[in-house]
Amino acid sequence: MSNTEALMTRRADAVANGVATRGIYAARAENAELWDVDGKRFIDFAAGIAVNNTGHRHPKVMAAVAEQAEAFTHTCFHVAPYEGYISLAERLNAATPGDFAKKTMMVTTGAEAVENAVKMARAYTGRSGVIAFSGAFHGRTLMGMALCGKVNPYKKAFGAMPPEVLHAPFPNAFHGVSVEQSLAVLDNMLKSSIDPERVAAMIIEPVQGEGGFNIAPPEFLKAIRALCDEHGIVLIADEVQAGIARTGKMFAFDHAGVAADLVTMAKGLAGGFPLSAVTGRAEIVDAAPAGGIGGTYAGNPLAVAAAHAVLDVIDEEKLCDRATEIGEKINARLTDIAARQGMEAIGDVRGLGAMVAFELVTDRETNAPDAALTMAIVAEAEKRGLIILPCGTRGNAVRLLPPLTVPADQLDEALDILEASIEASINAKGA
Ligand SMILES: Cc1ncc(COP(=O)(O)O)c(C=O)c1O
């Protein structure tokens, strides 16, 4: 029995079934490479689901964490605050879109950041409704799952959702939902389903992550900004997956040239250490009463030290530019593959910076999803030493999230493996 098989057996006996896992059991990882417990090497284009934007164990991140560990690892910010948290808040206030006074609070996970953003919006407006979008993913806590725009598996089996959470269609040109249609539904919703004066917040991912790397057109983000202004609704940008240099700018909202009132971030923020944050308009962030937000581990000193190093590395290694270059390279290669005869199963290639996905369809007329082919490609790539992830509300998109520090030769190697995996899977299907 291999080490992997032994761990799979123990995992099945000891770990909750609801925690879905792949069959890659990690032993160690370095930058864009990961080795499993049987010594097999992978190029990691999952990056811990968009977390290791600065690669696994970036030396500067590791050094910052080691230095902080020598001083203290936990005091609880509520009990004995520390400078690193304050200076990170200052940096995030400056880095997020919007030329207005901002403040920041930190927590640990993306879902917690979303929960806290909604709490702030409710406290500020005195309203309770929240509008989210179809295909959205905002986390697995109670409000987070209610905001998700996909029932199975996120809301299935978990009882009643909080009231006054509504979903509008996310614009999706590939699947025939135009910006105008989406805005018309929103308009109708505010006339027929909920009084805009009951809506505290509207939350949107500028590029949907789990939902399939669907990109919100800039004109749509501008239009919902105007709608929120008109009705006094707090606009929340969920940048948990798209933020922190991933799309070629620090935040994906930067591409649209508009600012949300609150920004949630996590994942790439601390290079593999658990940290999330909500940054936004000072008066909204400050609406939550003292003691009403925070938590024992919120803004952990080791993770805060890591985040400072991550922000330095993004700057020093020009990772926003690198994200754009990586994205262009992946996009060009996939577009080329999709144009070839026999590759009609690739219905769409899309991306913003180094957040690129392709969608698998049974035919290009109907764009009907091919989830089985998607899983076959993911499995084939894994066999050949490349970790990639499926996504999409229909389970038929493959997303690529390379570390932005991936060496050029490993990027080429990964794309060769990807191409071979796509070809082999499509050929096997046709056979
Ligand atoms: C856009 C978005 N929001 C929130 C979350 C939840 O983050 P976490 O899993 O850290 O709770 C995710 C996680 O994938 C995400 O992609």
Side-chain angles (χ1 to χ4, degrees), residues 54 64 67 116 186 226 232 236 248 295 298 332 366 370 416:
T54 47
E67 191 185 332
N116 280 281
L186 262 173
I236 304 171
T366 61
D370 196 339
D416 289 345

Side-chain angles (χ1 to χ4, degrees), residues 49 109-112 114 137-140 205 209-210 238-241 266-267:
I49 316 189
T109 66
E112 279 180 285
V114 167
F137 183 79
H138 297 293
R140 293 180 173 87
E205 295 160 88
E210 308 300 303
D238 185 347
E239 297 258 10
V240 166
Q241 192 155 159
K267 291 189 181 282

Side-chain angles (χ1 to χ4, degrees), residues 29-90:
E30 204 69 50
N31 197 4
E33 295 175 288
L34 183 149
W35 289 265
D36 77 2
V37 286
D38 289 303
K40 181 173 161 115
R41 168 194 176 258
F42 296 89
I43 298 179
D44 184 6
F45 272 24
I49 316 189
V51 167
N52 303 110
N53 292 1
T54 47
H56 290 279
R57 305 181 70 254
H58 192 289
K60 287 217 162 155
V61 174
M62 300 312 290
V65 170
E67 191 185 332
Q68 177 59 46
E70 289 299 315
F72 58 91
T73 62
H74 176 79
T75 60
C76 184
F77 192 72
H78 300 291
V79 176
Y82 29 93
E83 194 272 342
Y85 185 122
I86 297 165
S87 50
L88 184 60
E90 290 164 348

Side-chain angles (χ1 to χ4, degrees), residues 19-364:
V19 182
T21 47
R22 295 270 291 264
I24 305 163
Y25 286 78
R28 66 188 177 90
E30 204 69 50
N31 197 4
E33 295 175 288
L34 183 149
W35 289 265
D36 77 2
V37 286
D38 289 303
K40 181 173 161 115
R41 168 194 176 258
F42 296 89
I43 298 179
D44 184 6
F45 272 24
I49 316 189
V51 167
N52 303 110
N53 292 1
T54 47
H56 290 279
R57 305 181 70 254
H58 192 289
K60 287 217 162 155
V61 174
M62 300 312 290
V65 170
E67 191 185 332
Q68 177 59 46
E70 289 299 315
F72 58 91
T73 62
H74 176 79
T75 60
C76 184
F77 192 72
H78 300 291
V79 176
Y82 29 93
E83 194 272 342
Y85 185 122
I86 297 165
S87 50
L88 184 60
E90 290 164 348
R91 292 180 82 171
L92 296 177
N93 294 344
T96 43
D99 189 16
F100 40 77
K102 294 185 209 124
K103 285 196 170 183
T104 289
M105 68 90 67
M106 288 169 218
V107 260
T108 309
T109 66
E112 279 180 285
V114 167
E115 294 282 338
N116 280 281
V118 172
K119 283 167 72 172
M120 289 170 191
R122 284 180 160 188
Y124 177 72
T125 59
R127 310 168 178 179
S128 52
V130 191
I131 296 175
F133 290 88
S134 57
F137 183 79
H138 297 293
R140 293 180 173 87
T141 51
L142 190 54
M143 179 54 85
M145 84 170 155
L147 293 171
C148 285
K150 183 179 177 187
V151 170
N152 193 7
Y154 307 123
K155 309 192 206 198
K156 211 172 161 66
F158 298 126
M161 298 295 131
E164 295 195 315
V165 174
L166 292 96
H167 290 85
F170 192 91
N172 186 331
F174 184 63
H175 288 287
V177 183
S178 68
V179 165
E180 293 70 28
Q181 284 167 325
S182 187
L183 290 173
V185 174
L186 262 173
D187 184 58
N188 189 46
M189 185 182 273
L190 295 176
K191 290 193 172 79
S192 59
S193 299
I194 189 164
D195 181 350
E197 297 203 348
R198 289 195 64 82
V199 181
M202 189 180 293
I203 181 165
I204 188 162
E205 295 160 88
V207 183
Q208 288 191 326
E210 308 300 303
F213 283 21
N214 308 307
I215 303 158
E219 68 267 28
F220 185 71
L221 295 180
K222 287 192 176 113
I224 61 169
R225 173 70 279 177
L227 194 66
C228 287
D229 287 342
E230 185 187 339
H231 297 294
I233 297 169
V234 173
L235 180 60
I236 304 171
D238 185 347
E239 297 258 10
V240 166
Q241 192 155 159
I244 320 293
R246 171 56 57 187
T247 67
K249 293 194 183 283
M250 237 353 238
F251 295 94
F253 250 72
D254 284 323
H255 292 279
V258 286
D261 300 304
L262 298 175
V263 179
T264 56
M265 65 200 102
K267 291 189 181 282
L269 177 61
F273 291 84
L275 184 71
S276 62
V278 184
T279 298
R281 286 187 187 276
E283 63 275 23
I284 302 178
V285 175
D286 275 347
I293 55 174
T296 306
Y297 295 109
N300 170 268
L302 299 176
V304 164
H308 277 292
V310 163
L311 297 183
D312 291 343
V313 168
I314 288 172
D315 207 30
E316 288 160 14
E317 300 185 19
K318 300 190 171 35
L319 291 187
C320 286
D321 294 345
R322 188 73 189 120
T324 304
E325 288 160 17
I326 291 170
E328 280 167 1
K329 181 150 200 179
I330 298 176
N331 234 304
R333 183 76 169 261
L334 285 169
T335 306
D336 174 58
I337 299 169
R340 276 184 230 152
Q341 211 186 349
M343 294 293 128
E344 290 77 13
I346 303 175
D348 192 32
V349 176
R350 56 179 175 262
L352 197 60
M355 197 171 178
V356 184
F358 56 101
E359 192 159 331
L360 286 314
V361 297
T362 52
D363 81 89
R364 280 189 185 171

